[in-house]
Amino acid sequence: MTDLLIRNLPQSLRADLVRRAKKTGQSLSEEAKNLLRKGLSAEASAGDIGADRSTLDAIRSAFGSDLMRDHEHADMMGAINAARKGSDRPLPHSK
């Protein structure tokens, strides 16, 4: 097993995830893992993951309809890209 750290998670996304975890009776971590599995499985079975699609797109689709709104995703990506511009880390490839 390994850990995954998600930086700059919008408060509203976390609150939605907490509500969903309480509703399903799962811990926050278990609910996040279940949603990731569900989204990635759905994408893989639909054949949508490929060279033209990033892992971020697949993860976003796992959470998108239930948790993250378009403007929240745009805000998050803007913050990530702004933070990376000030570091030695390369920027992700844009479409």
Side-chain angles (χ1 to χ4, degrees):
M1 296 273 172
T2 187
D3 293 330
L4 172 67
L5 172 65
I6 302 175
R7 291 185 172 90
N8 300 317
L9 189 68
Q11 283 291 340
S12 59
L13 177 58
R14 186 184 188 285
D16 289 343
L17 186 56
V18 167
R19 273 192 293 279
R20 189 176 173 109
K22 285 181 182 178
K23 181 179 175 182
T24 62
Q26 298 288 323
S27 70
L28 191 59
S29 293
E30 284 300 315
E31 187 63 23
K33 288 188 285 188
N34 289 337
L35 287 169
L36 284 168
R37 276 188 211 103
K38 176 184 166 187
L40 292 173
S41 293
E43 293 296 324
S45 65
D48 286 340
I49 296 178
D52 62 332
R53 200 173 153 106
S54 71
T55 302
L56 175 61
D57 292 332
I59 292 172
R60 181 171 183 243
S61 69
F63 289 97
S65 63
D66 292 326
L67 302 173
M68 188 174 278
R69 292 155 192 88
D70 286 340
H71 72 277
E72 292 171 328
H73 180 258
D75 291 347
M76 178 185 71
M77 292 309 300
I80 290 170
N81 287 332
R84 286 186 175 163
K85 286 180 183 175
S87 73
D88 294 331
R89 293 176 69 184
L91 292 173
H93 297 288
S94 300
K95 289 184 180 181

